[in-house]
Amino acid sequence: MPILQCSSPDGFSKEIDLAEVGEVSVGRSPDNTLTEGGHALSRRHSLVIHADGITVVRDMNSSNGTFLNGEEVHRPRILSHGDVVTCGELSMTFYSD
């Protein structure tokens, strides 16, 4: 089961079952799945998409970037077990079977 374990320095913590939701949007806009991450988030910052057994992170042309294991994401990237995606102050660790 693909899981995103999300946290931020302000104490926010949430576990998301990607098989159940399919897509997680990150950004300041209240219509996103996750809005935690501080002022460094763009309105539509990034997407984590799970489909057909593959999970991908995509930056949505954010101002401050989306990072995968410390490297900026410039194109959609497939996630592997233990990968860490960072958007502003929000950290999301990917766990797979």
Side-chain angles (χ1 to χ4, degrees):
M1 159 180 349
I3 297 289
L4 266 188
Q5 180 62 50
C6 311
S7 63
S8 63
D10 65 1
F12 169 78
S13 180
K14 183 174 187 174
E15 185 175 282
I16 300 173
D17 180 347
L18 291 168
E20 185 177 306
V21 299
E23 179 178 297
V24 173
S25 59
V26 178
R28 281 193 335 261
S29 179
D31 62 336
N32 288 294
T33 310
L34 296 171
T35 57
E36 294 74 10
H39 299 292
L41 289 184
S42 296
R43 290 176 204 263
R44 293 267 302 156
H45 197 97
S46 68
L47 286 175
V48 177
I49 303 163
H50 179 76
D52 301 322
I54 297 171
T55 305
V56 174
V57 62
R58 177 179 174 202
D59 184 74
M60 302 300 292
N61 297 315
S62 65
S63 297
N64 294 310
T66 299
F67 296 84
L68 174 59
N69 300 324
E71 294 183 20
E72 192 166 5
V73 173
H74 296 287
R75 56 181 168 65
R77 302 276 303 274
I78 296 174
L79 297 182
S80 298
H81 181 81
D83 280 348
V84 178
V85 176
T86 307
C87 301
E89 295 178 358
L90 180 67
S91 177
M92 300 176 284
T93 304
F94 176 69
Y95 297 100
S96 61
D97 298 329

